[in-house]
Amino acid sequence: MQRVRYAFLFTSGDPSPLRMDNWYMAEEKLPTRAEDFSEWYNQLVLRAQLADYAPVRGCMVVRPYGWALWENIQQGLDRRFKATGHQNVAFPLLIPRSFIDKEKHHVEGFSPELAVVTIGGGEELAEPLVIRPTSETIIGHMWSKWIQSYRDLPVLMNQWNSVVRWELRTKLFLRTLEFYWQEGHTAHATQQEAMDETRQMLDVYTDFAVNDAAIPVIPGRKSDAEKFAGADITYSIEAMMGDGKALQSGTSHYLGQNFAQAFEVRYLDQGGQLQHCWTTSWGLSTRVIGAVIMVHGDDQGLVLPPKLAPYQAVIVPIFKTDEEKASVLSAAKQLKIELAKAEIRVTLDEREGQSPGWKFNDWEMRGVPVRVELGPKDVAKQAAVLARRDRPGKEGKISAPLADLPSTIQRLLGEIHQSMHDKALAFRKSNTHDTKDYEELKKAVETGFAFAFWCGNADCEAKIKDETRATMRCIPLEQPGGTGKCVYCGQSAGERAIFGRAY
Ligand SMILES: [Zn+2]
């Protein structure tokens, strides 16, 4: 097999793309996940051409393959947002600095991460502007103008944009200074409606994670220490990565009347009384791409869930002579048309000068769910060989008649989705331990999650974090019931929480 050499950045912690001595050449094999999970991730993101480091420290460039993945994520979510009555909007990037100061917890939480613009058009600005870290404040300001009466409610909005939170320790998709996301914002006449909305959007994220990303997630409530700056309650979905660590993959916040009071978002109720609105916000970001990589990826590269994969199938033609080339390529082109008609996202790899084996490896690296191998013998038989990305080797290969390929691949994509989800769920279950005491918790968080009673006291949570580096991920909505003793202090506790080390 032809060997190929990749040049890429050595990226442990502090990549500095402008220093050429960080470049080195490597053979095509990735480090295995067992050897170095972090380096496996860094190299995979670069080699699969999902993203790259930008010249400004902390920033990332999302490449076409990565953006196509994000577009499929966007479509899956946007469809769900619209089905639940939300409309898309666009608010500006720049927010007056004074807006951030209006909500006490919000300013405390976000001040250290703000990027502030003080000069515009060569002139010092009368009031500094911040680049949005999130948009609650400017949206609250506009709502105070737009919302007058109970007839104006509810307001259900979402925007797709990027935000900036100053961050120097770059990890592509997981931790960058600027990241892409959606932020949903809603205003309601009653507390109950706002609570229902918060939970509904958590359900939407859960549904997306399970049914589109094949990622089993734990929906739950955050502790006070971990909640959003300015929220009364934050819910999140938490997923376990392939190294046993947690990744928060989407959050939904019940904001009470905090922002409505700070920005005077009020309405006249049916009795003619002036009331403050109840608001929510919810977001899911390009971090979820990190989750897709780390939940499903293997030592050969990406394994993409079929619903999100930019290409669901790749046709690799195999031939030696010019005569074979003509007949194989003609059959391959026809097949591509048939698969596209069946709404399968398909590509035909016609690259010259690369062997089929090289192409197999390349598409494995890029995680395409189904590979279609088409050679002269297959064409003669009017058949093709299908190889599943999630099951490497002979086990994942079947031969099928060309005429049946659209339906066979559709069925395979469904099976692959289910099998990827089930595998990830089995992995999470086998690495989640019900822990009775602190010693057990310490051991559990070395490799996965601890599911333990917690008294609700922030001191216990802080001490666990200091001593084990594990944070309280969430208090799962689904509780086994009963009461027990807090895993740290031994006081009685009514709920169990998930503890784990996190990205
Ligand atoms: Zn306790």
Side-chain angles (χ1 to χ4, degrees):
M1 200 191 72
Q2 198 176 337
R3 307 293 293 184
V4 64
R5 297 175 78 88
Y6 287 85
F8 55 89
L9 280 169
F10 185 70
T11 54
S12 292
D14 180 18
S16 155
L18 301 177
R19 284 180 50 200
M20 291 305 285
D21 59 353
N22 275 346
W23 288 81
Y24 71 105
M25 304 296 281
E27 292 299 328
E28 66 186 289
K29 260 193 120 33
L30 286 168
T32 66
R33 288 170 305 154
E35 272 165 21
D36 188 342
F37 194 87
S38 174
E39 197 50 28
W40 166 84
Y41 178 89
N42 293 341
Q43 293 194 16
L44 180 48
V45 169
L46 296 175
R47 290 205 215 172
Q49 298 183 0
L50 294 172
D52 205 343
Y53 299 95
V56 174
R57 186 173 152 139
C59 293
M60 71 172 163
V61 180
V62 183
R63 300 186 67 176
Y65 197 58
W67 196 256
L69 181 57
W70 179 237
E71 282 178 335
N72 290 336
I73 293 168
Q74 287 184 306
Q75 282 166 23
L77 286 168
D78 206 65
R79 178 167 53 76
R80 288 170 168 87
F81 297 160
K82 286 175 179 152
T84 43
H86 303 86
Q87 291 176 312
N88 283 336
V89 292
F91 277 75
L93 173 78
L94 297 171
I95 299 177
R97 177 68 179 84
S98 59
F99 280 24
I100 306 290
D101 296 331
K102 286 191 179 180
E103 209 288 331
K104 182 163 69 80
H105 298 285
H106 200 63
V107 63
E108 280 168 18
F110 281 104
S111 283
E113 302 180 341
L114 292 179
V116 184
V117 179
T118 56
I119 295 173
E123 305 261 330
E124 186 98 12
L125 300 176
E127 181 182 358
L129 305 172
V130 302
I131 300 175
R132 64 183 163 212
T134 177
S135 304
E136 278 77 3
T137 58
I138 191 160
I139 287 175
H141 174 82
M142 297 311 294
W143 280 350
S144 70
K145 297 210 296 195
W146 298 340
I147 298 170
Q148 306 294 333
S149 137
Y150 69 92
R151 292 185 198 88
D152 301 326
L153 296 170
V155 174
L156 308 172
M157 304 189 329
N158 175 64
Q159 69 174 338
W160 291 97
N161 60 5
S162 69
V163 290
V164 166
R165 298 174 187 179
W166 213 258
E167 172 68 73
L168 295 174
R169 296 164 305 157
T170 315
K171 184 104 177 158
L172 294 172
F173 294 118
L174 298 178
R175 209 186 296 120
T176 51
L177 185 155
E178 180 187 15
F179 58 87
Y180 300 89
W181 76 343
Q182 56 70 215
E183 45 177 319
H185 296 271
T186 69
H188 305 265
T190 67
Q191 179 178 32
Q192 188 60 48
E193 247 188 57
M195 294 283 282
D196 291 348
E197 166 79 7
T198 312
R199 287 292 295 273
Q200 171 184 261
M201 299 325 285
L202 185 74
D203 290 346
V204 162
Y205 289 150
T206 304
D207 183 65
F208 164 80
V210 171
N211 293 310
D212 284 14
I215 296 176
V217 290
I218 303 171
R221 195 176 85 239
K222 287 284 190 187
S223 66
D224 282 351
E226 300 276 338
K227 73 185 185 189
F228 176 74
D232 281 355
I233 308 172
T234 288
Y235 295 95
S236 72
I237 50 171
E238 301 284 330
M240 182 185 282
M241 304 298 103
D243 59 353
K245 284 199 205 166
L247 185 74
Q248 175 180 296
S249 308
T251 49
S252 185
H253 315 293
Y254 165 71
L255 304 173
Q257 293 179 312
N258 302 336
F259 286 90
Q261 280 167 358
F263 289 89
E264 298 191 333
V265 184
R266 293 182 295 182
Y267 71 97
L268 281 173
D269 68 16
Q270 278 160 297
Q273 297 291 312
L274 204 53
Q275 306 277 1
H276 283 103
C277 290
W278 304 82
T279 68
T280 81
S281 67
W282 28 276
L284 183 146
S285 76
T286 38
R287 287 196 111 202
V288 82
I289 294 179
V292 165
I293 298 167
M294 291 192 288
V295 168
H296 300 305
D298 66 16
D299 291 343
Q300 274 65 52
L302 288 175
V303 181
L304 292 178
K307 293 233 179 92
L308 302 182
Y311 299 122
Q312 295 171 311
V314 55
I315 305 167
V316 180
I318 303 166
F319 51 79
K320 288 207 180 74
T321 65
D322 282 349
E323 198 185 351
E324 286 173 354
K325 180 179 177 180
S327 87
V328 168
L329 277 185
S330 145
K333 282 175 184 164
Q334 187 54 40
L335 178 60
K336 185 184 169 190
I337 292 168
E338 296 301 324
L339 295 182
K341 264 193 223 161
E343 294 188 346
I344 293 166
R345 293 190 291 273
V346 59
T347 185
L348 167 60
D349 189 347
E350 290 188 81
R351 283 178 288 183
E352 302 271 351
Q354 301 295 0
S355 70
W358 185 91
K359 290 178 179 177
F360 291 0
N361 286 354
D362 191 45
W363 292 111
E364 265 177 20
M365 171 75 73
R366 293 170 146 238
V368 176
V370 176
R371 181 175 74 227
V372 183
E373 304 173 7
L374 194 64
K377 283 181 191 161
D378 303 306
V379 174
K381 280 191 295 184
Q382 284 295 296
V385 173
L386 304 179
R388 283 174 65 156
R389 175 62 183 90
D390 66 319
R391 279 193 200 152
K394 286 211 170 64
E395 190 207 346
K397 282 199 179 192
I398 56 164
S399 179
L402 286 182
D404 297 348
L405 278 202
S407 60
T408 307
I409 292 176
Q410 289 288 19
R411 177 177 54 76
L412 265 187
L413 292 173
E415 284 175 25
I416 291 169
H417 173 91
Q418 193 59 45
S419 147
M420 287 173 67
H421 173 270
D422 295 351
K423 188 179 164 195
L425 184 60
F427 179 82
R428 190 188 80 201
K429 282 186 173 166
S430 70
N431 290 289
T432 301
H433 302 284
D434 287 359
T435 52
K436 288 189 301 292
D437 58 40
Y438 194 43
E439 288 310 308
E440 284 184 12
L441 180 143
K442 281 191 206 162
K443 197 153 167 275
V445 300
E446 292 285 333
T447 54
F449 291 171
F451 189 40
F453 277 107
W454 171 54
C455 64
N457 190 323
D459 286 346
C460 294
E461 182 188 2
K463 286 191 175 121
I464 292 170
K465 185 176 174 180
D466 285 349
E467 292 165 19
T468 70
R469 290 187 290 127
T471 45
M472 211 218 72
R473 302 316 308 155
C474 71
I475 299 151
L477 299 180
E478 206 179 297
Q479 289 282 329
T483 54
K485 287 187 161 59
C486 172
V487 71
Y488 194 83
C489 69
Q491 304 246 351
S492 81
E495 285 181 313
R496 288 208 214 197
I498 296 279
F499 292 88
R501 291 179 187 157
Y503 281 95

